[in-house]
Amino acid sequence: MTEYTSKLKQAGLKVTLPRLKILEILSQGEGQHASAEDIYKILLTHDEDIGVATIYRVLTQCEQAGLVKRHQFEGGRAVFEIAEGDHHDHIICVRCGLVQEFNDETIENRQREIAEKAGFKMAEHNMTLYGLCKQCQTKSERK
């Protein structure tokens, strides 16, 4: 059916329509970095009858199985993304909540250097930047 059918089976989870729909939404542009409420709204626009409680339960199960990553950014609700691909960091609009991914090798190298200098071998890290996206900057200028 989809690539997520085998991933669910490998994770030891039963393949259900809600799980498939939620994973498909998270893998698409409109659903990347989506909250449970965002996923619910998207499902409604596609005439899917999956309740918010089910969405939360599926997201938790998929997170525990390593299929989904949860991010709790400052001042905001938890958002989810598919747990695959290369390491990336995030930049978030403090007004509208837009989340964009970025990767900068210079920053990555500098973080490794800092960890080494402090006597650490870096196991994991994340960087989150906060600001105003172009749209919100334009709205601020109009006022």
Side-chain angles (χ1 to χ4, degrees), residues 9-61:
K9 288 179 181 178
Q10 288 172 353
L13 295 172
K14 190 174 178 183
V15 178
T16 64
L17 186 64
R19 287 182 179 140
L20 288 173
K21 292 287 183 186
I22 290 166
L23 290 172
E24 286 173 11
I25 286 171
L26 286 173
S27 70
Q28 298 168 356
E30 67 179 325
Q32 291 177 338
H33 301 103
S35 68
E37 292 82 9
D38 294 333
I39 293 169
Y40 177 70
K41 290 175 188 170
I42 293 167
L43 287 167
L44 286 178
T45 64
H46 294 104
D47 294 323
E48 296 290 342
D49 187 25
I50 300 171
V52 177
T54 300
I55 295 167
Y56 275 108
R57 188 172 55 255
V58 167
L59 289 170
T60 300
Q61 292 165 343

Side-chain angles (χ1 to χ4, degrees), residues 74-85:
E74 285 181 31
R77 58 193 176 189
V79 295
F80 300 85
E81 69 179 346
I82 298 293
E84 61 187 11

Side-chain angles (χ1 to χ4, degrees), residues 22 26 30-39 42 55-56 59-60 63 67-83 88-93 96-101 128 130:
I22 290 166
L26 286 173
E30 67 179 325
Q32 291 177 338
H33 301 103
S35 68
E37 292 82 9
D38 294 333
I39 293 169
I42 293 167
I55 295 167
Y56 275 108
L59 289 170
T60 300
E63 179 186 16
L67 299 173
V68 168
K69 279 188 180 178
R70 175 190 308 253
H71 296 285
Q72 188 73 44
F73 298 123
E74 285 181 31
R77 58 193 176 189
V79 295
F80 300 85
E81 69 179 346
I82 298 293
H88 60 269
D89 296 303
H90 298 93
I91 186 164
I92 299 155
C93 181
C96 70
L98 173 70
V99 178
Q100 290 187 341
E101 298 175 355
T128 306
Y130 297 89

